[in-house]
């Protein structure tokens, strides 16, 4: 399996700093991955839905740590690249 595309947009909702989508093998998309600034640094949270009891349950998630790490690395790389490009653009405008 290969992540063939990552799109990310910056938001600021408490600890959530970005929303991402990934395309796997140019044929399957997963939307609404969240880039979270947590107590131990940034991480990627899988798409989830809120249950009637208030808990959250993942809608889609990797089945092993290797795949989770691959997804997290790709999404965070795209997130920080987007932030850097945005900062450089602002610097050029000043």
């Amino acid at each position: 399996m290969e992540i063939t595309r990552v799109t990310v947009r910056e938001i600021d909702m408490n600890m959530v700093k970005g929303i991402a989508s990934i395309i796997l093998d140019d044929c399957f998309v997963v939307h609404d991955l969240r880039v979270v600034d947590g107590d131990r640094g940034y991480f990627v949270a899988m798409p989830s839905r809120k249950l009637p009891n208030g808990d959250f349950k993942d809608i889609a998630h990797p089945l092993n740590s290797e795949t989770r790490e691959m997804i997290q690395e790709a999404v965070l790389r795209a997130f920080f690249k987007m932030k850097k490009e945005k900062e450089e653009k602002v610097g050029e405008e000043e």
Side-chain angles (χ1 to χ4, degrees), residues 6-89:
V6 178
T7 56
V8 63
R9 63 185 167 89
E10 191 173 22
I11 63 170
D12 192 4
M13 291 177 37
N14 298 321
M15 294 171 52
V16 179
K17 302 300 179 186
I19 300 291
S21 296
I22 59 172
I23 297 177
L24 306 171
D25 294 332
D26 283 325
C27 65
F28 190 83
V29 66
V30 180
H31 294 291
D32 295 332
L33 292 99
R34 295 175 317 282
V35 177
V36 179
D37 186 3
D39 294 337
R40 293 183 277 163
Y42 283 85
F43 67 93
V44 175
M46 295 298 124
S48 61
R49 63 184 168 97
K50 191 172 185 177
L51 300 174
N53 68 1
D55 291 342
F56 286 87
K57 181 166 178 70
D58 284 351
I59 295 170
H61 59 88
L63 295 178
N64 57 55
S65 58
E66 179 181 292
T67 304
R68 180 176 297 277
E69 190 62 35
M70 177 182 63
I71 292 169
Q72 181 157 288
E73 182 180 310
V75 170
L76 291 179
R77 187 179 329 111
F79 175 75
F80 288 116
K81 180 181 177 190
M82 177 266 309
K83 282 184 61 84
K84 182 179 178 184
E85 289 171 354
K86 189 175 179 181
E87 289 170 4
E88 288 173 351
K89 187 176 181 181

